[in-house]
Amino acid sequence: MLRKYTIITLIIGLLSIPAFAQQNAWFDLNKHYKSGLELLESGKFAAASNQFNNVLNIDKKSSVKAEANLENDLIIENSHYFVALCALELGNNDAESLFLHFINSYPANNYTKLAFYHVGRYYFAQKNYPKVIEWLKKLEDNDLIGKESSEYRYKLAYSYFEIKEFDQSKAIFVQLKNEKSIYNEQSIYYFAYISYLQKDYKRALVEFERLKGSKLYENSYPYYISALYFLDNRYDDVLNYAIPILKSSKQLYETEMFRIVGASYFAKSDYVNAGQYFDNFQQKDQGKTQNNQDNYQIGYTAFKLKKYEKAIIELEKLETADEYFQSGMIALGESFLKTNNKQAARSAFFKASKLDFDRQLKEEGLFNYAKLSYELEFHQVALDATQLFIKTYPQSPKLDPAKTLLSEILLTTKNYKDAIDILETIPNRNREANEVYQKVTYYRGLEFYNERAFQNAISMFMRSNKNVEDDEMHSLSTYWLAEAMYEVRKFGESVDNFEKFMSLTASKKTEVFNYAHYALAYAAFEHENYRKAATYFARFLRGNEKDQKTINDAILRLADSHFVLKDYDEALVYYNRIIASRTSSEDYALFQRGMIQGLQGQNDLKIATHKSLLQQFPNSNYSDDASFEIPYTYFIKSDFEISKTGLSELIQKYPRSSYVPRALITIGLVELNQDNEEAALTTFKRVVSEYTTTDEAKLALESIKNIYLQNSNASAFLDYANTTSIGNLSTYEQDNITFQAANNRFLNGDYQGTFESVNAYFDKFPKAVHDKHARFIRAESLVKLKRPNDAIPDYEYILNDWTSDYTERALISISKIYLAQKKYNEAIVHLKKLELTSEYKSNYSFAVNNLMEAYSNMNLPDETLQYVKFIRESNKSSEEDLFRAGLYSAKANLIIGDTVQAVKDLTEVAEKTQTVTGAEAKYNLAHILYMKGQYKTSLATAFDLTNEMPSHDYWVAKTYILIADNYVKMKDVFQAKSTLQSIIENYENEEDDILVTAQEKLKKLTKK
C-alpha cells in the first residue's frame, strides 16, 4: 500500500493546478484522479482502479489539448502507475505488464523506483523470491530512504537467503545487522545462521549471542548457541546454558536441543543423563531427523546402561561406514552376545574388523569374529580369521588368548596340514595346545596313511607321540605308527611299536586292540620272527574278530609260521582248516599240505595232493608250482622218465613261469643220470643263454664245468665260458662293481647320475650281467626326470623276458606312464598282462584297481563294473581300495543311467572316508543334486565338503566352482562372481583345469 505521506504530497500538488484546467474535460480528469487517490488510501483498490482508468479514458477521448501542462501530464503518468499498483494489490495477472509499460513509458517519473519496490514487495508476500530479486535488483541503495530502504534491502537479502545464494544474502545482512531498524534482529539472526551454515562458527556464535534477550527469536537462537558450544567441545557450557532454557521455555528447536544435551553428556561419558535426554529427543523426533551419529550415541548409551535390546535396535540402524559405525559394531556385537544371538554378533564383529578408523576396534572385531566363527562351527573361517589375527597383531594383548582360541579351532578342523604348520610356529606351547598338537598330527598321519604316503605318516605319528596329553590317542598313534612301519618294510620297528601298543593301558579301550595281534603277527612274520608271529596269530584267533576273511588269512599265516618253524603237524592242522572251510585260499593250502607231506617223506601223498590241486583248481596261481613239484618229486624218487616228461610238460604249458629254469636244470640232471652228457650240456647251456640272471644259470654253468672237466676238456669250458656273460669271473666282478655304482646312485635319488652311469655301464658291458636290472633303474630314473617316453623302450625290453625279476615291476611302471598320459588303451594292455601273470597279490591289486580306473576314464561302464566286482571280492583289497571301487561303481552307474545306485555308492564312500576318494565322492553327490536342479541341497552338500575335507585342494576348488554354478542357478550372481574371484585369487596350482574354468565362468558372468 502507498504510504500516506506520498498521497498528501500529491494532494498539495493538485491545489496548484492553473485555472484553465477547470474546463470540463480537465475538471473530470482531476475529479477522477483525486477520487482514485482517496479510494486507494482506504484500500478500495478495484474502485480506485476504475477512477484512474477514467482519467486515462478522458485523456484518450479528449479532443482539446491544453497547452503544455506538466501537471496534467504528471496526472496521466501517475494514473498509469496507480492502475498498475491497483492491479498488483488485486492480484491481477496484468499487474507486471502494466508496471513494465509504465516504467518503459515514463522512466523519469518519480514513481518508477517505487514501482520496482512495490512489485518486489508484492512478490515477497507471495514468497516468489526469484521475482522479488528480479524487481528489487532494479533499485540502487540510494533510490529509497528510511524505512523503505531498510525494507527493500531486508527483503532482497531474505530472498537471496531463500534461494540459497548465501554470499549475496550475507553481504546485505552484514549492513542491516548493524543498523537501527525494525529489521535489525532479523538481520543479525540470518547473518548468524548463514555463518553457521558456512561453518564460520566463531562469527556465528558472536552474532547469535547478540540476540540474547530477543523476544523475536527467544525460541530459536538458544539452539544455535547450544550447537555452537557443542561444536567447540564446550560440553559444560552446553549443559549450563541449554538445560535451564529447556526447563523454562518452549523452544522451536527443542528436539535438536535434547539431542545436543544428550550428545554432550555422552561426550562426558555420563550415560545415565545422556540416556534421559536421548529418550526425550527420540520421543519428540519420532525418527524424522535421527542420523548415523545419533544412532551410534543412542545405541552405545543403551549398551552402557545394559539396555541391550534397545542398543540392538539403535545400532542396527547404522549404515554409513564411518568411525561411529566401527565402534557401534563392537557395541552391537557385545549386545547380541548378551541376548545370546551369536550369529548376529559374529556379523557385527566382522564388519568392525573390516574398517581402519580405529586399529584397536579393528583388532577387537577380528578376534571376536574368529572366536564366534569357531563357536558357530565355521571352522575354516575361524581358522583363517585367527591366523590373520596372529599375523596382523603380533604385539596384541589378546595374542595369548588368540593362540588358545587357535588351539581350540584346530581341535575340530580337519585341515590338519595347516593346523600343524600354525601350531609349530607357537613357541612354548601350553598343555592345551600340546593336546591339540598331539591329535592333529595323529589325524594328519592317518591322512598320509590312507593316501599311502607312509613315510610322511610315520613322521606325523612320531610327532604325535612326543606330545602325549591324551592316553587313548597315544595308543592309537602307536598302533598306526606300527602299521606304517610295516608298509615301508621296517618290520622290526613295526613289531616294537605293536608290542608297545599292546603294553599301553589305554589300548584295551580301542577297537583295534584285538586286531593289533593280527597286525603284530604279520610284522613279525615279515621280519622272519616266525615264533612270535605264530604266537600273535593264535592270540588274534582267540579274540572277537568277526570278519571271516581276516580270520581265514590269520589261519593261513599261522600255518605258514608253523611251516617255516618246521612244526609240520601244527601247520597241517591249520592248512586243513582252510581246506575244510573251502575258502578262496584252498588251493594254496592244498599246495602247502603237499609240500609238508613231501618234507615228511610221504612223496606219494605229496604227488597225490598236488594232482588233486591241479584237478580242482586248474587255473590256480599255484598250478605251475604244483606242476613243477610233481615231476620234481618223481626225480627225487628216481623215476627219471616220468620226471622228465612232467618237467617238459611244465615248460610247454607255462613258458613264462619262474620254474622253467629249475625244470631245465632238473631235466639236465636226469639226462646226466641217464649218461646222456650231450643232451645235458645242451639243456644246461640253454639255461645259461636264456636265463642268464637266474641262480639256475650259475648252477647250470657249474654243471657244464663239471661235465667238461670230467672229460678233461678244461679249455673247451673256458672257451665256452668266455662266450657267456657269467663265465669270466674277473669281468663279472667288474661288471658287478660298475653296476652297483649305478644302482647306488639310484638308491640315493640321483636320477640324472643313474641315467648317465647306466649308459656308461652298457657301453663297457654290452652283454651286461645286470642287463634288466640296469634297464629297469634307468627307466625308473627317466620317469623321475620327467622323461617317461624315453623310459618306455627299457620297460618294453624287460617285458620281452617274462621270467625276469623285473617283469611285474616294469609292467607296473609302464602302466603308470600310460595312465598319467591318459593313454588308457596302452595302459590296459600292460595292466591285463599284470593281472593275468602277477605272482604277488599286491601287484594283482594294483592291476585290477587301475584297470577299473582306466575303463572308467574311457567311459566303459560294463568293464568298469567288472573290475569293481573283482576288487570287492578280493580278500587283499584294502579299505581305501574298496572306497575307490565304490566311487568308480558310482561313475559307471551314472553312465548307464542308474542314478539311484550311483547315489547310494557315493553316499557310502563320502560318509566313510575323509581321503581324496571321499572328497571326489562328495563332489559327485553335490554335482548330481545340481544336475537335478536341487540347488540348495547341492549347495549344502558342497559346503559340507569344503568344511570337512579342506586338505584336498583340487576337489575343494572344484567344489567352489560348483558352488558358483549353484549361485548362478539361484540368481545370486553377486555370490557366484565373488566365489569365482576367490578361487582365482587363492588357488595356486596352475597345471590343472581349475583356474582356467573359474576364469572362463567369471568372464561369462561379467558379460551378462
Side-chain angles (χ1 to χ4, degrees):
M1 184 184 292
L2 200 61
R3 297 287 186 267
K4 288 184 178 181
Y5 77 87
T6 306
I7 297 174
I8 293 170
T9 303
L10 290 171
I11 293 172
I12 294 171
L14 289 174
L15 296 177
S16 65
I17 298 175
F20 67 86
Q22 298 300 316
Q23 295 176 6
N24 287 339
W26 299 118
F27 176 81
D28 289 340
L29 183 147
N30 287 327
K31 181 180 70 172
H32 289 306
Y33 182 73
K34 182 178 179 182
S35 177
L37 291 175
E38 290 174 351
L39 291 168
L40 182 66
E41 182 68 20
S42 58
K44 298 178 180 179
F45 303 113
S49 178
N50 288 332
Q51 293 301 319
F52 291 125
N53 276 309
N54 288 336
V55 171
L56 298 178
N57 289 331
I58 291 171
D59 177 56
K60 291 178 182 178
K61 294 177 182 179
S62 175
S63 58
V64 181
K65 294 293 182 180
E67 296 179 0
N69 189 326
L70 295 176
E71 287 81 4
N72 287 342
D73 289 342
L74 184 61
I75 287 174
I76 298 303
E77 290 180 13
N78 290 350
S79 292
H80 279 289
Y81 167 75
F82 288 125
V83 168
L85 181 63
C86 289
L88 184 68
E89 294 290 353
L90 290 170
N92 294 340
N93 293 332
D94 61 346
E96 184 175 1
S97 62
L98 291 171
F99 271 118
L100 285 172
H101 173 73
F102 169 74
I103 292 166
N104 292 329
S105 300
Y106 310 108
N109 189 282
N110 289 334
Y111 284 114
T112 299
K113 302 296 183 183
L114 281 175
F116 299 151
Y117 168 70
H118 282 300
V119 176
R121 288 178 62 244
Y122 170 76
Y123 281 120
F124 187 87
Q126 290 184 334
K127 298 183 180 180
N128 189 342
Y129 299 112
K131 280 291 187 180
V132 173
I133 294 169
E134 178 186 342
W135 284 91
L136 293 185
K137 277 179 66 178
K138 300 177 185 294
L139 293 169
E140 302 292 338
D141 285 349
N142 58 359
D143 286 344
L144 298 174
I145 61 173
K147 293 181 180 178
E148 282 78 7
S149 174
S150 298
E151 182 182 11
Y152 136 70
R153 285 181 290 142
Y154 171 75
K155 289 182 177 178
L156 178 60
Y158 186 84
S159 297
Y160 277 126
F161 173 82
E162 285 291 341
I163 67 171
K164 302 189 185 310
E165 292 189 13
F166 296 124
D167 289 337
Q168 302 258 39
S169 176
K170 191 176 182 183
I172 301 173
F173 281 133
V174 74
Q175 300 171 0
L176 288 170
K177 74 183 180 69
N178 295 320
E179 295 179 5
K180 290 184 179 180
S181 72
I182 61 173
Y183 300 108
N184 174 255
E185 286 187 4
Q186 293 100 313
S187 298
I188 293 172
Y189 179 84
Y190 287 112
F191 179 84
Y193 181 71
I194 292 171
S195 298
Y196 176 81
L197 292 179
Q198 294 178 337
K199 299 185 179 180
D200 187 356
Y201 297 133
K202 290 186 178 180
R203 178 174 291 187
L205 180 59
V206 169
E207 298 300 331
F208 276 125
E209 286 184 329
R210 289 178 61 190
L211 294 173
K212 287 183 177 179
S214 168
K215 293 296 183 180
L216 181 61
Y217 293 107
E218 66 179 349
N219 294 329
S220 58
Y221 74 80
Y223 159 70
Y224 293 105
I225 292 176
S226 300
L228 289 164
Y229 284 156
F230 181 82
L231 290 171
D232 199 26
N233 300 327
R234 294 163 58 180
Y235 305 120
D236 289 331
D237 288 341
V238 172
L239 301 177
N240 293 332
Y241 175 75
I243 292 176
I245 290 176
L246 285 170
K247 290 181 178 179
S248 62
S249 64
K250 185 67 174 178
Q251 288 293 305
L252 180 63
Y253 302 113
E254 182 182 51
T255 302
E256 287 76 7
M257 290 185 71
F258 281 137
R259 173 171 25 206
I260 291 172
V261 172
S264 297
Y265 275 123
F266 182 88
K268 292 167 62 66
S269 300
D270 184 346
Y271 300 112
V272 174
N273 283 312
Q276 175 186 339
Y277 279 92
F278 281 140
D279 286 345
N280 292 338
F281 160 69
Q282 287 189 298
Q283 289 173 8
K284 298 284 291 182
D285 187 62
Q286 294 296 308
K288 296 176 182 176
T289 67
Q290 186 171 325
N291 57 35
N292 212 50
Q293 183 177 353
D294 298 330
N295 298 335
Y296 166 69
Q297 292 183 341
I298 295 169
Y300 191 85
T301 298
F303 167 70
K304 297 298 285 188
L305 295 175
K306 300 183 179 180
K307 297 178 180 179
Y308 302 116
E309 295 292 347
K310 179 176 176 59
I312 291 170
I313 292 171
E314 299 302 329
L315 292 172
E316 281 190 319
K317 296 176 183 177
L318 291 171
E319 295 180 353
T320 305
D322 53 19
E323 62 271 24
Y324 305 118
F325 185 87
Q326 186 177 29
S327 177
M329 288 302 100
I330 295 295
L332 179 60
E334 296 289 350
S335 298
F336 276 128
L337 286 179
K338 294 295 185 180
T339 57
N340 201 32
N341 188 344
K342 291 185 178 181
Q343 184 65 55
R346 174 177 176 265
S347 177
F349 287 130
F350 175 75
K351 293 176 182 178
S353 74
K354 291 299 179 182
L355 299 177
D356 296 318
F357 296 103
D358 187 312
R359 180 181 173 85
Q360 186 174 349
L361 293 176
K362 182 181 178 76
E363 175 185 327
E364 184 176 353
L366 181 57
F367 177 80
N368 286 318
Y369 171 68
K371 183 177 181 182
L372 288 172
S373 293
Y374 164 67
E375 292 178 4
L376 292 170
E377 297 185 356
F378 294 98
H379 299 310
Q380 188 60 40
V381 174
L383 182 61
D384 293 341
T386 310
Q387 287 176 293
L388 178 62
F389 182 90
I390 292 172
K391 179 181 179 181
T392 308
Y393 306 108
Q395 305 301 322
S396 171
K398 284 187 168 62
L399 187 61
D400 285 342
K403 290 179 179 179
T404 301
L405 173 62
L406 181 60
S407 67
E408 293 173 357
I409 296 169
L410 298 177
L411 184 62
T412 53
T413 183
K414 293 181 176 62
N415 193 346
Y416 307 121
K417 175 181 177 296
D418 288 347
I420 292 167
D421 291 342
I422 293 167
L423 278 172
E424 288 183 346
T425 65
I426 302 175
N428 303 318
R429 291 190 298 269
N430 58 21
R431 185 200 62 78
E432 187 175 7
N434 272 333
E435 182 177 355
V436 176
Y437 185 74
Q438 179 191 4
K439 292 183 179 181
V440 295
T441 47
Y442 166 72
Y443 288 123
R444 183 60 173 153
L446 286 181
E447 281 187 337
F448 279 129
Y449 184 90
N450 288 328
E451 292 169 4
R452 305 191 70 76
F454 300 118
Q455 291 289 3
N456 292 337
I458 289 169
S459 174
M460 288 296 141
F461 292 135
M462 292 178 73
R463 289 191 225 180
S464 180
N465 287 342
K466 287 182 180 179
N467 298 271
V468 178
E469 299 290 343
D470 184 306
D471 291 338
E472 186 170 347
M473 185 67 65
H474 176 49
S475 292
L476 290 170
S477 182
T478 304
Y479 172 82
W480 288 108
L481 174 61
E483 287 279 17
M485 289 290 190
Y486 175 86
E487 294 289 350
V488 297
R489 307 185 69 80
K490 293 183 178 180
F491 302 119
E493 291 93 328
S494 178
V495 169
D496 292 342
N497 280 284
F498 275 127
E499 289 184 325
K500 180 180 178 182
F501 169 79
M502 303 297 292
S503 69
L504 295 172
T505 303
S507 297
K508 295 179 181 178
K509 301 177 183 178
T510 67
E511 295 181 356
V512 295
F513 181 70
N514 184 56
Y515 190 83
H517 292 106
Y518 174 74
L520 191 160
Y522 246 110
F525 185 89
E526 296 290 353
H527 196 48
E528 299 182 2
N529 189 340
Y530 301 109
R531 184 63 63 192
K532 182 173 288 188
T535 299
Y536 282 99
F537 278 127
R539 289 186 185 179
F540 170 74
L541 292 171
R542 290 196 295 270
N544 57 357
E545 179 62 37
K546 298 294 189 294
D547 181 50
Q548 193 59 46
K549 286 185 177 180
T550 307
I551 292 172
N552 291 338
D553 186 65
I555 294 171
L556 206 58
R557 296 290 83 80
L558 177 56
D560 288 342
S561 299
H562 284 300
F563 178 85
V564 176
L565 292 169
K566 299 182 180 180
D567 297 334
Y568 298 128
D569 290 335
E570 283 292 313
L572 273 176
V573 169
Y574 294 107
Y575 286 133
N576 287 334
R577 281 180 60 179
I578 294 295
I579 294 167
S581 62
R582 306 191 68 82
T583 70
S584 60
S585 299
E586 181 183 356
D587 56 342
Y588 173 71
L590 273 171
F591 177 75
Q592 289 295 91
R593 180 162 73 179
M595 294 302 292
I596 291 174
Q597 290 167 337
L599 291 169
Q600 290 178 333
Q602 303 176 60
N603 290 324
D604 291 336
L605 283 176
K606 172 185 177 181
I607 292 170
T609 300
H610 284 168
K611 284 183 177 180
S612 175
L613 165 62
L614 293 174
Q615 290 171 357
Q616 293 183 61
F617 306 101
N619 297 318
S620 169
N621 286 337
Y622 303 100
S623 295
D624 61 336
D625 302 72
S627 295
F628 172 78
E629 289 295 336
I630 292 170
Y632 185 75
T633 305
Y634 280 118
F635 173 76
I636 293 172
K637 293 177 61 179
S638 300
D639 293 336
F640 298 126
E641 279 301 323
I642 297 175
S643 173
K644 184 178 179 180
T645 300
L647 291 168
S648 297
E649 290 174 354
L650 164 72
I651 294 169
Q652 184 177 2
K653 188 174 182 179
Y654 304 104
R656 297 188 180 98
S657 171
S658 60
Y659 285 101
V660 171
R662 292 180 63 186
L664 288 170
I665 286 288
T666 308
I667 289 172
L669 294 174
V670 168
E671 290 167 337
L672 278 179
N673 278 288
Q674 294 176 336
D675 296 325
N676 192 347
E677 290 184 352
E678 287 301 320
L681 274 174
T682 300
T683 302
F684 289 138
K685 286 181 178 181
R686 179 183 173 186
V687 175
V688 172
S689 63
E690 295 182 12
Y691 305 98
T692 307
T693 60
T694 64
D695 291 335
E696 285 79 7
K698 297 175 185 178
L699 292 173
L701 185 61
E702 187 67 23
S703 297
I704 292 169
K705 181 182 72 172
N706 291 335
I707 293 173
Y708 277 115
L709 291 177
Q710 285 175 3
N711 291 299
S712 302
N713 196 355
S715 61
F717 169 73
L718 293 174
D719 290 340
Y720 167 76
N722 286 330
T723 65
T724 69
S725 60
I726 62 173
N728 190 329
L729 295 179
S730 60
T731 302
Y732 175 81
E733 289 172 353
Q734 292 177 28
D735 181 304
N736 190 56
I737 292 171
T738 305
F739 171 73
Q740 288 303 325
N743 195 42
N744 286 338
R745 287 194 171 189
F746 177 76
L747 295 174
N748 291 327
D750 180 8
Y751 302 115
Q752 184 62 36
T754 302
F755 172 74
E756 294 169 357
S757 295
V758 171
N759 287 343
Y761 172 68
F762 282 123
D763 288 340
K764 187 174 182 179
F765 302 101
K767 296 182 179 180
V769 174
H770 302 285
D771 179 26
K772 295 181 178 60
H773 192 177
R775 288 180 183 277
F776 180 81
I777 64 173
R778 180 167 67 181
E780 293 287 289
S781 297
L782 286 167
V783 171
K784 294 289 187 181
L785 293 169
K786 302 188 183 304
R787 296 170 56 188
N789 290 332
D790 293 337
I792 289 175
D794 279 334
Y795 288 132
E796 295 287 6
Y797 179 90
I798 294 168
L799 295 177
N800 287 330
D801 179 3
W802 287 96
T803 64
S804 169
D805 291 338
Y806 302 95
T807 300
E808 291 189 29
R809 296 168 68 182
L811 282 170
I812 291 172
S813 295
I814 199 169
S815 298
K816 287 180 178 178
I817 291 174
Y818 287 131
L819 287 170
Q821 295 175 343
K822 299 184 179 180
K823 295 179 179 178
Y824 299 114
N825 282 321
E826 292 86 344
I828 287 172
V829 170
H830 293 86
L831 289 169
K832 290 289 287 184
K833 291 177 181 178
L834 183 64
E835 175 193 6
L836 298 173
T837 63
S838 60
E839 292 187 16
Y840 299 99
K841 291 186 181 295
S842 60
N843 293 344
Y844 170 82
S845 178
F846 172 90
V848 295
N849 273 278
N850 284 285
L851 280 166
M852 172 184 70
E853 182 176 345
Y855 282 126
S856 177
N857 286 320
M858 293 174 70
N859 291 325
L860 297 173
D862 293 336
E863 289 80 357
T864 303
L865 290 172
Q866 177 184 355
Y867 282 95
V868 167
K869 180 181 179 183
F870 289 168
I871 293 167
R872 285 174 169 170
E873 290 177 350
S874 173
N875 61 359
K876 277 298 182 180
S877 294
S878 68
E879 188 175 55
E880 182 62 18
D881 290 340
L882 295 173
F883 290 144
R884 290 181 76 253
L887 173 64
Y888 282 99
S889 172
K891 290 182 177 181
N893 279 303
L894 283 175
I895 294 174
I896 64 179
D898 190 351
T899 307
V900 174
Q901 183 60 44
V903 170
K904 180 180 178 182
D905 288 334
L906 291 171
T907 301
E908 181 179 4
V909 174
E911 289 177 352
K912 289 186 177 181
T913 180
Q914 298 283 319
T915 65
V916 68
T917 304
E920 185 177 355
K922 195 81 167 181
Y923 168 84
N924 277 282
L925 280 172
H927 188 265
I928 290 171
L929 292 167
Y930 167 81
M931 296 302 294
K932 288 182 176 180
Q934 300 176 20
Y935 305 120
K936 290 185 178 180
T937 311
S938 173
L939 203 59
T941 304
F943 278 125
D944 283 346
L945 191 156
T946 60
N947 287 329
E948 296 174 4
M949 306 177 186
S951 298
H952 308 299
D953 294 342
Y954 175 84
W955 288 107
V956 170
K958 195 169 182 69
T959 300
Y960 274 116
I961 292 176
L962 179 60
I963 288 170
D965 291 340
N966 275 289
Y967 280 134
V968 170
K969 291 295 186 180
M970 295 166 70
K971 310 300 183 184
D972 193 348
V973 177
F974 175 78
Q975 284 282 27
K977 288 182 177 179
S978 299
T979 303
L980 293 170
Q981 188 63 46
S982 176
I983 296 169
I984 293 168
E985 291 175 357
N986 296 295
Y987 191 69
E988 296 178 355
N989 189 346
E990 297 181 358
E991 296 181 3
D992 55 36
D993 60 339
I994 293 298
L995 287 176
V996 172
T997 303
Q999 289 165 351
E1000 289 176 352
K1001 286 181 178 288
L1002 181 59
K1003 183 177 180 181
K1004 184 176 180 181
L1005 287 177
T1006 304
K1007 287 182 178 179
K1008 289 186 177 179

